[in-house]
Amino acid sequence: MNKLNKILVLFVLLSTASIDNSYSQAEVSNGYNPLSLRQVHESYLMWKKTLWRRIDLNEKQNKPFFARNRELSKIIIDAVQEGVLIPYLNDSVNDENVMSREEFIERMKQDAVEEEDEFDDFGDDPFGDDPFGDDPFGDDPFAETEIEGTPEPELIPKREFSIFEIKEDLYFDRVHSRIYFDIQAVSFYLPGDSFYNLAGFEKQVASFRFIDLYNLFKSMPKDAIWYNENNVAQHKNLGDAFLLRLFKGVIVKLANADDVRITELFDDSRKSGIMASIKIEQELMDWESNLWEY
């Protein structure tokens, strides 16, 4: 009887172990970031940071992303209007933050500006009323009739959107002994000094999953190009240009418990924030180089 009980207990333990093993394997198979273009399992990550970079497409190094009629902003806006690209409210880019195409177009509209009457400073318009009373010739049959309602505001020119921000993960793959920059999301803004921005500060329009943008760029080999003005025979696809990190971006935020930007930590001057950003960039480079000294 004792021998039979031992056999039953051993059978139960083996069954439980096989169930636990299958469950852990299911977890391992699902341990991938769906936003990552380069799929690396989370168990391979020894170290990771999330950071944000601000990219000004008017800077010389970023001009190839902003070639005339091939602007990065134009390609993205056209894709959303055609319904082939999904916009998001913020760089979390999850299903809860999906932005409708109607709301996206609404954010693209110019701010309404009330026109002032040119005679406000001089009182009533001296030519507004007929000084002789009723018009002796009757109504003018050629007079323009007033259109009821307000005209629909026009969309802001696509080239005005020159500020982009990328959210990316910087991690060390301990299996392949490599450091990767893994872009997660891309957001674009209307600059604060734009003629069409009455607010006076940068206004975020929308965010996008980088993996969606990459697939979009690859589907447009003739239009979505990084313009190589030094050698027009060697233009690159925008997707490849991002992976090759041909852009110049300044770190504006590191993931932190207070969720604050670098500039918020240095309120004394803008110069202090820029110097802090450069220092962080240098520290990351030093950390990478020091990995291979041990």
Side-chain angles (χ1 to χ4, degrees):
M1 186 68 178
N2 292 335
K3 186 176 181 180
L4 180 60
N5 289 337
K6 291 181 180 179
I7 294 175
L8 290 174
V9 171
L10 180 61
F11 176 77
V12 171
L13 290 175
L14 289 174
S15 300
T16 304
S18 61
I19 293 174
D20 292 340
N21 186 42
S22 62
Y23 178 75
S24 62
Q25 288 179 353
E27 279 189 330
V28 169
S29 63
N30 294 328
Y32 294 93
N33 185 353
L35 299 178
S36 296
L37 191 63
R38 183 185 292 107
Q39 291 291 305
V40 176
H41 196 272
E42 60 183 9
S43 63
Y44 294 176
L45 305 182
M46 184 188 77
W47 176 91
K48 184 175 83 168
K49 279 185 177 291
T50 302
L51 50 91
W52 287 257
R53 295 180 186 270
R54 181 182 183 274
I55 301 173
D56 186 350
L57 297 186
N58 285 315
E59 291 186 7
K60 184 176 181 180
Q61 185 172 336
N62 296 325
K63 282 286 188 179
F65 291 91
F66 212 45
R68 184 71 64 175
N69 296 323
R70 290 186 175 90
E71 297 90 348
L72 176 61
S73 53
K74 178 182 183 299
I75 293 173
I76 292 176
I77 293 170
D78 288 345
V80 175
Q81 291 178 328
E82 294 170 4
V84 298
L85 183 64
I86 299 175
Y88 294 84
L89 295 171
N90 53 54
D91 55 22
S92 294
V93 292
N94 52 41
D95 294 339
E96 298 177 356
N97 294 319
V98 173
M99 180 189 300
S100 65
R101 184 168 56 173
E102 292 73 20
E103 182 177 354
F104 178 83
I105 295 176
E106 188 68 26
R107 294 190 177 194
M108 292 289 301
K109 292 180 180 178
Q110 299 181 17
D111 294 330
V113 180
E114 296 183 1
E115 296 183 359
E116 297 181 359
D117 191 345
E118 58 181 332
F119 295 103
D120 282 349
D121 296 336
F122 303 96
D124 297 335
D125 182 2
F127 305 102
D129 299 327
D130 186 1
F132 302 102
D134 296 336
D135 185 0
F137 302 102
D139 296 333
D140 183 1
F142 302 101
E144 296 182 359
T145 58
E146 294 184 0
I147 302 176
E148 296 183 358
T150 57
E152 188 71 18
E154 297 181 358
L155 298 183
I156 299 173
K158 299 167 185 176
R159 192 172 173 82
E160 287 293 316
F161 301 94
S162 59
I163 303 298
F164 280 73
E165 187 173 279
I166 64 172
K167 174 186 177 182
E168 60 182 353
D169 289 339
L170 171 62
Y171 60 83
F172 181 79
D173 183 349
R174 63 184 179 85
V175 174
H176 300 92
S177 297
R178 287 191 59 184
I179 286 182
Y180 293 102
F181 286 92
D182 190 10
I183 301 176
Q184 302 290 295
V186 177
S187 307
F188 75 99
Y189 293 74
L190 180 65
D193 58 356
S194 171
F195 173 79
Y196 301 91
N197 189 352
L198 300 181
F201 56 85
E202 293 181 359
K203 295 170 61 177
Q204 182 179 355
V205 180
S207 300
F208 304 90
R209 303 197 320 167
F210 176 70
I211 192 171
D212 293 342
L213 291 177
Y214 181 83
N215 293 331
L216 172 68
F217 298 151
K218 283 299 185 179
S219 68
M220 305 171 61
K222 293 184 178 181
D223 296 319
I225 63 171
W226 179 86
Y227 193 89
N228 189 350
E229 59 183 8
N230 295 320
N231 184 0
V232 294
Q234 292 296 324
H235 297 320
K236 295 187 180 299
N237 185 268
L238 283 176
D240 296 330
F242 273 103
L243 293 183
L244 293 172
R245 306 188 67 77
L246 299 180
F247 55 84
K248 173 65 172 66
V250 179
I251 297 177
V252 294
K253 180 181 175 183
L254 285 173
N256 59 87
D258 295 325
D259 194 31
V260 296
R261 291 177 172 256
I262 295 175
T263 53
E264 297 178 49
L265 301 175
F266 299 89
D267 296 332
D268 52 342
S269 68
R270 184 169 178 239
K271 180 180 179 181
S272 299
I274 296 176
M275 295 300 295
S277 176
I278 296 175
K279 182 180 179 181
I280 291 174
E281 186 83 54
Q282 186 63 48
E283 289 175 350
L284 290 176
M285 295 174 61
D286 292 342
W287 182 86
E288 179 180 0
S289 62
N290 291 335
L291 281 175
W292 317 116
E293 294 183 3
Y294 298 101

